[in-house]
Amino acid sequence: MSRGLGDVYKRQALVLCTIDSTFRRNYFMSELKNQISQFIDTKAKVYQDISLAIHAKPEVSDFEYFASQTLSEQLKKEGFEIELPAAGHRTGFAATYKSNKPGPTVVFLAEYDALAGLGHGCGHNVFGATSSLAGAALKSVVDQIGGEVRVYGTPGEEGGQNGSAKGSFVKKGYLKDVDFALCVHPGSGPEDGLSTRNYACAPVDIEFLGKPAHAAGCPQDGINALDAQILTYAAIGVLRQQLTDRIRIHGVIVDGGTAPNVIPEYTKAKYYIRAADIDTLHELYEKVENIVKGSALQTGCTSSMKLYQNLVENMVLTPSLDAIYEKYITELGNTVKHVEDVVMPGSSDVGNISQVVPTIQPHISITDVQIAGHSQDMVNASCSQKAMDAIVKGAKALAFTALELFENPEELAKVKEDHTCCLLYTSPSPRDMRRS
């Protein structure tokens, strides 16, 4: 009898200890969240001013000198060690702060490139400032909990010269010891959104070299590089008849010759070859490559097809990580709209990161109404008061998300398991799989 009572008391003590441990952890989390929130409120204007300064001085891929320098200098003031340039990109940077206690490693991804001829029509001035502020805020408490905080400045998300830098960060090992990656992208409309899948993309140059000749006097002596380019364009159009709606190919001829009375010696086209997953993209790439070889064979030209920047991989979702972010952005007063799980049009090199670590890129609204991306309306919205407010809310939600995973090893393990499962899953709907 006494032994039975003893077992009961032991079980009760264990329950009380568990309750006490949970209470203490929740109380500590609440205190740390308050510290992060106060830090962000105090520093908000600094990062908002940086965002506006980057907006006023738009720079395209591989030329974001002002943006990368300004953000990295501010992070250096916050106590981060700075590597600039980084990952083979002259406007890329890696900001790192490691506490004296062991713990997870998180990277906040910062973008800051603009669109050629338009400016910040994708809101990357907001993006970069938000991730940097989130990283600085988490760094302000990480000595209390242990772990490492990084901010990676990743140039050229829009593509272009030495573009899609996140691919280089992956290839050069910057993610090999990272546990998870966070960022939030500006969006439009009355509601926010969670991470979405997108297309993998191979940005390629297709070039043909022929032989010039007088087009009227001796056309038989020429080898027409424009003919080869037009045959390629037409053949890709025919190929589309046998492609699914999970594939996109589109391009332009950027050099078609110099004069109508000269057989074109050289031509060049730029194409985006896109597919919903990286394996399909590799298969599609080979088909287009064979078209190029066939056009060269038909016309007698020599040909070249090659990537002109990093390959962009498709986004692997980690729904459990999105759910943590959603909890915090909702706490901050934003509404999140859930959409059907489809492959969204477009590509982003955040996909390269998501292929190796759990990653999210939700959207935070900077307008009250829906507007087109890559537009003058979005340029205007990216320096609005709502955009500045989004920097604060986005930074808090990202920092709180990281804090929860730093403080809850079991939750981090679940996120990693979720990512592995979604990475291996090949059907169209990983979210449905996770709900089953």
Side-chain angles (χ1 to χ4, degrees), residues 173-205:
Y174 284 75
L175 279 298
K176 65 183 179 182
D177 56 352
V178 169
D179 290 286
F180 59 101
L182 304 175
C183 59
V184 59
H185 198 293
S188 70
E191 298 169 308
D192 293 359
L194 299 178
S195 304
T196 56
R197 293 184 297 134
N198 53 23
Y199 287 97
C201 179
V204 297
D205 283 335

Side-chain angles (χ1 to χ4, degrees), residues 246-309:
R246 292 161 59 83
I247 289 173
R248 297 287 185 271
I249 311 175
H250 37 98
V252 292
I253 298 173
V254 295
D255 189 340
T258 56
N261 61 343
V262 177
I263 299 292
E265 177 184 20
Y266 170 80
T267 58
K268 178 178 178 179
K270 287 184 175 292
Y271 283 85
Y272 277 3
I273 304 171
R274 306 189 200 238
D277 62 84
I278 194 65
D279 291 335
T280 303
L281 180 63
H282 287 312
E283 294 173 6
L284 182 61
Y285 190 98
E286 186 176 347
K287 289 181 179 180
V288 176
E289 202 168 35
N290 285 335
I291 286 174
V292 172
K293 291 176 182 177
S295 298
L297 182 62
Q298 291 177 80
T299 57
C301 293
T302 56
S303 65
S304 168
M305 174 174 157
K306 59 187 177 184
L307 292 167
Y308 62 81
Q309 59 151 72

